Structure formats: C-alpha cells, structure tokens
Amino acid sequence: MRSVFFGLGLQYDAGDGPCIAINNSGRIVEVHKNELGLTIYYRTGQVNQMTVDWSPSANELTGGVDPSVALNNSNQVVEVHKNEAGITLYSSTGTVNSDGTILWNDTDDYTSGITPSVALNDSGQVVEVHRSEKTTRLYYRYGTLGSSNVDWEWDDNYDNGQTPKVAINNSGDVIEVHRSEVYEDLFYHVGKINVDDEKIDFGASEPLASGTNPTCALNDNGDVIVAWAKDGLLWQRFGKINTSLKTIEWNGDAKEYESGVTPSVATSNSMSIEAHEGAILKTLWASTSIITDRAIWMTERRAELGSRTIPQLVLPASHDSAMYLDGLAILGKTQYMSIFDQLEYGIRYFDLRPEKSGDKIIIHHGPIAGPDLSVVLEDIRKYCLFGHKELIIIDWGEFTNFNATDYQAFVDQVNASIGTWQFKGPLQPGQRLGNISLATYTQNGPCIISAIADNWAVNNPQAGYWIYRKCDDADSNIGDLVVYDYYSETTSYDEMRDDQLWKFDHYTGKQKDFPTLPCDIFLLSWTCTPITGVWFESVDPNRNLGNEITKAAIPNSYGQIMNALYVDYCEYARVTDVSIIQNDVQSARVAASPKMSIKKESESASTNDAVVIPDFGASPKRPTV
C-alpha cells in the first residue's frame, strides 16, 4: 500500500514553530518565528532527490507569531500569522520567482483570533482556520486570491478545540485537524468546499490520536498525511480520504519517526515533506518522503528497470537484517522491523548469519542470538506468496557451529520454506548472475538469490545455492556473486562517510586479483561499528544518507554506480526512497543520452584502469557486540 515515512531529518535553520509547503515542481516555502524574538522569517528550497537545496539564508518577512504558509503549482503563496502582542490575524500573498526569492504583496488584517493555519489550491481557493481569542471555538474562513491579497468571502464556526491546521486539494476537499479544548485528544474533519451555499460541508469530528500540535497534508490523489507530537517524539499516519463518508481510511497504525515538537507536513502528488522544531534547542529540521508502495517498487517500475542487470540496479539493503529482537538480544540489535516488514518496506538485499544452536538453527550477530531461522524463512515465504515481481538477494554468511550435516539441514529447511522462489539457473556457458536482467529473474513472480559465504556451496554444490565472494578474496574468480563490501570500522560518522565515498570513487567494478573479471555489486556500507548501542551510532549516517548521495559523482570515473545501500535501522535512513530515486536518476541519465548508458563490464574501464585496484587492506570481521 502507498505510504510515507519521514525518518530522521537534517537541520536547516534555527527558529520556532515552522510551517512548510511544497508543490508538484518540488518548490518549497517555509516560514517560522525566530528563536527568542517576534520576527517571522521565510525560506525557500528545492527538492533534490531525497534532500532539499535550501536558499542560502532565511529572509525577514514581518513581525508576528504563529505563521502558516501555503503554496500552489503556479508558485503562488499565501501566508497568515497573528500580530506580536494582540489578537489580530494578518494575511499576505506573493509569488515565488525562479531564483527562489518571493515577491510579497502588502500585508492586511482579516479577522481576530489566534493560531491561524492556511491552505491554497491551484484555482486560487484559500481556506483558513483559527481559534477564537476569547473562547475555544474554531472558525474557518474561505476566500480567493486577489490582485494584492486574499479576497475573504465567508466564514463560520465548525467545532471547539485548539491549534487547528488545514489542507485542501484541487477537488475542493478539505482536511482539518485540531486538539481538544482541555485534553491531549486529537481529532480530524473531512469536508468539501461548497461555493454555492457559501460554506464548507464538514463531516463529523473523528478521533485521531493522543498528543499535541497536530498537522495535516492532502494531495489530489486523496492521500492524507497527519503528524503530531507526544512526549518529545513525533508521530505520523498515512491514509486516504473517503469523500462520501467524510472519513479517512488509514493505512496501518501511527508510527514514531523522530524526536521534536511542533511538526508541519506538506505534500505534492508524489513527494511529501516534514519540518519540525527540535525537542530541546530551537533548531529546525526537515525530511522528505516519496509517496509510493514500497512493497512493489520493482514491480511498479518494471518498464524502466526490467532490462537492467544487478550491477545496474540500486538496492536498499539492511545490515544484520534479522537482529530486531528486544530483551537480551537488544545488545546486538541493528533493526526495528522484522524481515517481513523490511520486505514490505522495500529492502531487497539482506545480511543473514546462521548459527547452529542446540537442535535448531538461528540467526545471530556474534554471540547474540536473534530469531529462529524458521521465523525468518516464514517471513520471506509470507511475502513471496503475494507474487510480486521483486528480486531479493540474501547474503548468507558467518555460518557458526556448522558441519556438513548442519549445512545440509540448513539447505533442507530453506528449500522446504522458500525453495519455490529461489533462482536455480542453470547459467549458460560464460553467463553470470550479474548478466541476467531483472525482468528475466522475476518473470514468474518473486525471485530469491541465495548467496552462500565460505565454502559451503563450493563443497556442497546444489541448485539455488550460489557461491558468494568478496572482490579481494584469493578465489573470487569462482564466485557466482562477487561483492565489494568493506566497512569502515569506526564510530565516527565523518570518518565512515569519507572512507566509503573514497572507496566508491576508486571502485573499478573489477575483482582485485582477477582484473578481467567483474565485481557484481558495490555495497556502500553506510554504518558505524560500535561494540553495542547501534541505534545511537546509526543516527548521523541515517540522517545524512539522502543528502550525501546527491554530492557523490555517480557514476564514478569508472562508470560504476552504488548497487546496495547498506544501513542499520533501515527505515530511519529512508533507504528505500533513496534507492528508488537513484534508480530514477540513472533512468533519466540513460534517456537523456543513450550512449552514456551504464557501462558493461568490458567497457567500465580502460585496459590501464582495470589494474588500478585500491588497497583493500585486511578484511576484518564486523564487531560482534
């Protein structure tokens, strides 16, 4: 199902009470009050893949508090706020220029009240909501864009409460959210602009959640995003409006995504954005999320991606994929989501480490036990039964306490559960796993590549179990799937970033000791490596993934791309969204210049380049806990 998840944002400014808006061109307008004073500032930006290119600095707009802003696809802007010390509400309109500056018209007062919120559509319809300055009554106002400001036309009381927020779309649908008069109970309304009767036809007040500072967004597809704060954490929920019942059909439960207060959300038809104030300091943060069905992201993009081979794809990947349990296992925890949930989220490259423990096989991270292998396999089976045409790569590594009998028991267990979907070949003479297109792999539904580390698949060859090798292994030439996977062995984000980006810059797409043979996958190991407490060390890498990808030269000088974006706590890095956008970027590059299509192995470097191999150094095992 379509959804959004904002994950961890990046700081873009300092201030108080941000409000953000976005249009279908990816143009962004944000307003906020300064940290300690009574001055309102605005800032513009432009979506760049999964990050925002902000204007160099914020610009002073006016004096006041509680600013709110709306933006339409014609780059027209409406802003409302309350004056500094009184109870007067003001509005202003403007136009965003191509350079990101805004030409503002004069500011006019339009009513009295507090905590205003405004929404605008492409027809110039404007809806504003606010609370009475004297009571807990909530009012809306309707108007249209005029030559110099909003021509306000009619208004009405629609409920009681506080801190209302509003959103509208081009069909005249309206979403409103607010907090109750006294308690931390949040509610929403779905309505419709009724110009003939000069009113908004609101449905009943529906319960939303428990919390404070709710916010909402709505697009022309009827997608609804709501967010709110509770106990220093931010929560989000995604759904679709039911216009006949005037309700929202929710896609799953609410999800916590960040720490902070006073969130603001906005959406176009394909991209959404969130901004909020930090939980402690007056810092402002923002994050984007695409609106898509991540469970079938390959299936939906089959026309663009189907002809690509593994070295030409970008896959979201999870580190120590099955280490999601709590209890004692929290010492080795690297993920929140189960394997099924990760598959639904879009992860397509998995790191699974089997261990023989007593009379069963489990998944482990060093000495820390994870779930039983049977649980992991059932999650994969559950997902595959949907029949989506998705390619899944499993790196089965670090077999612990195994002998030949145990390995055969492992193979039998895997076969019995997911063997139906495992790719068994056979390969044609000279063919590699990396030569086969996504469309071929998935022509009959989901396809799983099981890549086996060490020598288990060498000494016990069986259909569906392929030889995994790193590209500096002495026998990498026997590998069916050869991967460049070298982590940074540091707890410093800056050191990890510099190390991984340097490695990519110098990645030739060739095996170290066999420079005429290709390496199939460059794995960007976007992880720090603490002894334990992985969550805390994952925050900076996850915040920065989407931004750093835009700075990297992709493809690199050898014509190579990043193939697996490998992270801890994968959803907080928005790694599926980053991967999808990277695949889109490659599609656009090829479409713009077919001669620049992703190079085949034989073309990826000159004869001289092929032997310029970076110093891999030792290949340390990842810290256990």
Side-chain angles (χ1 to χ4, degrees):
M1 298 177 68
R2 286 160 60 87
S3 63
V4 301
F5 189 81
F6 292 112
L8 301 176
L10 283 176
Q11 184 180 353
Y12 65 92
D13 212 326
D16 180 272
C19 181
I20 202 159
I22 187 173
N23 66 17
N24 288 337
S25 299
R27 174 65 70 188
I28 294 166
V29 176
E30 182 267 359
V31 295
H32 62 269
K33 187 182 75 64
N34 59 346
E35 303 96 302
L36 300 175
L38 297 171
T39 304
I40 294 173
Y41 289 83
Y42 74 90
R43 196 163 191 171
T44 62
Q46 180 68 43
V47 171
N48 179 3
Q49 298 184 34
M50 288 304 299
T51 191
V52 177
D53 292 337
W54 292 101
S55 58
S57 61
N59 298 282
E60 184 175 338
L61 176 58
T62 187
V65 297
D66 297 329
S68 175
V69 71
L71 171 71
N72 67 16
N73 291 315
S74 298
N75 287 322
Q76 296 170 306
V77 185
V78 175
E79 183 271 343
V80 297
H81 63 272
K82 189 181 78 65
N83 62 348
E84 296 91 322
I87 55 172
T88 304
L89 301 182
Y90 290 83
S91 66
S92 57
T93 62
T95 302
V96 185
N97 298 317
S98 59
D99 62 359
T101 60
I102 299 179
L103 178 63
W104 292 100
N105 298 312
D106 293 336
T107 299
D108 293 329
D109 63 288
Y110 64 93
T111 193
S112 62
I114 59 174
T115 62
S117 173
V118 71
L120 167 70
N121 66 18
D122 292 345
S123 300
Q125 294 179 307
V126 181
V127 174
E128 181 266 7
V129 294
H130 63 269
R131 177 182 165 179
S132 167
E133 72 277 15
K134 297 179 180 178
T135 69
T136 59
R137 288 187 175 185
L138 301 178
Y139 289 86
Y140 67 78
R141 294 204 65 153
Y142 172 84
T144 56
L145 284 180
S147 58
S148 61
N149 210 299
V150 179
D151 295 330
W152 298 105
E153 300 177 22
W154 29 268
D155 57 55
D156 199 2
N157 165 233
Y158 66 95
D159 208 335
N160 293 309
Q162 55 181 311
T163 60
K165 294 291 188 295
V166 69
I168 62 175
N169 65 16
N170 287 321
S171 297
D173 301 313
V174 182
I175 299 292
E176 183 273 351
V177 294
H178 64 271
R179 181 182 167 183
S180 73
E181 302 97 307
V182 179
Y183 303 106
E184 291 190 358
D185 296 322
L186 306 180
F187 298 89
Y188 75 85
H189 288 276
V190 174
K192 189 82 170 180
I193 296 172
N194 186 337
V195 176
D196 293 336
D197 293 338
E198 295 190 346
K199 64 178 182 177
I200 298 177
D201 294 322
F202 275 121
S205 180
E206 302 284 349
L208 172 60
S210 174
T212 62
N213 299 112
T215 180
C216 61
L218 173 67
N219 66 19
D220 292 338
N221 299 316
D223 298 320
V224 177
I225 305 167
V226 295
W228 62 91
K230 185 174 177 61
D231 300 328
L233 297 175
L234 300 176
W235 296 78
Q236 65 174 67
R237 203 170 188 188
F238 183 87
K240 199 172 189 68
I241 57 170
N242 185 320
T243 53
S244 59
L245 296 179
K246 290 188 169 61
T247 58
I248 299 173
E249 297 172 352
W250 298 110
N251 177 6
D253 296 327
K255 297 179 180 179
E256 173 268 320
Y257 67 93
E258 172 71 288
S259 60
V261 295
T262 60
S264 174
V265 293
T267 187
S268 66
N269 288 335
S270 60
M271 177 69 73
S272 57
I273 189 165
E274 181 270 356
H276 64 271
E277 181 185 327
I280 300 175
L281 302 175
K282 295 289 186 179
T283 51
L284 301 180
W285 305 74
S287 181
T288 59
S289 174
I290 60 176
I291 304 174
T292 193
D293 188 342
R294 292 165 184 80
I296 54 172
W297 70 266
M298 287 180 171
T299 307
E300 288 191 330
R301 294 162 180 82
R302 192 172 177 82
E304 296 82 16
L305 303 181
S307 63
R308 294 196 196 176
T309 59
I310 290 172
Q312 298 170 340
L313 290 169
V314 185
L315 305 177
S318 60
H319 164 231
D320 264 306
S321 306
M323 298 306 295
Y324 53 79
L325 299 180
D326 292 320
L328 181 61
I330 200 171
L331 295 173
K333 187 169 182 173
T334 57
Q335 305 293 337
Y336 277 130
M337 295 192 290
S338 70
I339 297 300
F340 175 78
D341 288 340
Q342 289 181 45
L343 284 162
E344 287 281 288
Y345 173 70
I347 299 300
R348 295 296 176 262
Y349 187 104
F350 292 88
D351 165 24
L352 297 174
R353 309 177 187 189
E355 177 182 344
K356 184 65 186 301
S357 178
D359 60 353
K360 63 183 179 179
I361 300 173
I362 65 171
I363 303 298
H364 74 105
H365 180 189
I368 305 300
D372 291 357
L373 174 63
S374 60
V375 173
V376 169
L377 293 175
E378 180 55 33
D379 272 4
I380 299 171
R381 174 180 173 81
K382 178 181 175 183
Y383 174 79
C384 287
L385 284 170
F386 290 121
H388 307 318
K389 293 186 174 183
E390 305 284 310
L391 176 64
I392 301 161
I393 298 176
I394 303 177
D395 166 8
W396 297 100
E398 295 193 20
F399 287 80
T400 301
N401 300 329
F402 267 68
N403 57 33
T405 301
D406 299 326
Y407 177 72
Q408 188 58 51
F410 162 81
V411 168
D412 292 343
Q413 190 173 349
V414 173
N415 283 342
S417 184
I418 62 173
T420 300
W421 301 285
Q422 291 204 119
F423 179 73
K424 298 181 176 65
L427 299 179
Q428 300 302 312
Q431 190 180 42
R432 300 175 49 81
L433 293 178
N435 300 143
I436 300 171
S437 71
L438 174 64
T440 300
Y441 276 123
T442 60
Q443 58 187 324
N444 297 318
C447 181
I448 301 168
I449 294 176
S450 282
I452 308 297
D454 304 323
N455 284 322
W456 296 108
V458 177
N459 299 329
N460 303 271
Q462 298 181 56
Y465 297 85
W466 303 94
I467 300 170
Y468 172 97
R469 286 293 184 266
K470 288 190 176 182
C471 65
D472 70 336
D473 286 340
D475 61 347
S476 63
N477 61 311
I478 70 170
D480 297 306
L481 189 74
V482 181
V483 181
Y484 185 112
D485 175 9
Y486 303 96
Y487 75 105
S488 303
E489 200 174 10
T490 179
T491 57
S492 164
Y493 165 69
D494 289 342
E495 291 178 5
M496 181 278 291
R497 175 200 62 209
D498 293 346
D499 172 79
Q500 288 297 305
L501 295 179
W502 184 91
K503 286 173 177 172
F504 174 66
D505 286 344
H506 292 79
Y507 173 61
T508 66
K510 302 294 182 180
Q511 298 175 27
K512 179 183 179 183
D513 294 330
F514 304 91
T516 62
L517 295 179
C519 183
D520 302 297
I521 291 175
F522 177 89
L523 184 146
L524 183 77
S525 192
W526 204 249
T527 58
C528 291
T529 51
I531 298 301
T532 189
V534 173
W535 165 258
F536 302 102
E537 299 297 340
S538 74
V539 169
D540 282 343
N542 287 351
R543 284 194 193 282
N544 284 280
L545 175 64
N547 190 51
E548 291 296 339
I549 287 289
T550 66
K551 300 176 184 178
I554 304 174
N556 68 10
S557 61
Y558 299 97
Q560 303 301 314
I561 66 172
M562 300 173 181
N563 304 113
L565 307 182
Y566 186 69
V567 296
D568 294 310
Y569 296 98
C570 53
E571 69 273 37
Y572 289 91
R574 301 169 299 146
V575 67
T576 297
D577 294 31
V578 175
S579 299
I580 289 172
I581 295 295
Q582 274 297 298
N583 283 306
D584 290 346
V585 168
Q586 298 307 315
S587 294
R589 182 176 66 89
V590 171
S593 182
K595 292 182 180 180
M596 293 177 60
S597 61
I598 301 169
K599 296 180 181 179
K600 298 177 182 178
E601 287 85 355
S602 60
E603 301 171 335
S604 61
S606 70
T607 302
N608 291 331
D609 287 340
V611 296
V612 181
I613 306 296
D615 182 7
F616 290 83
S619 298
K621 289 185 178 294
R622 290 182 176 271
T624 53
V625 287

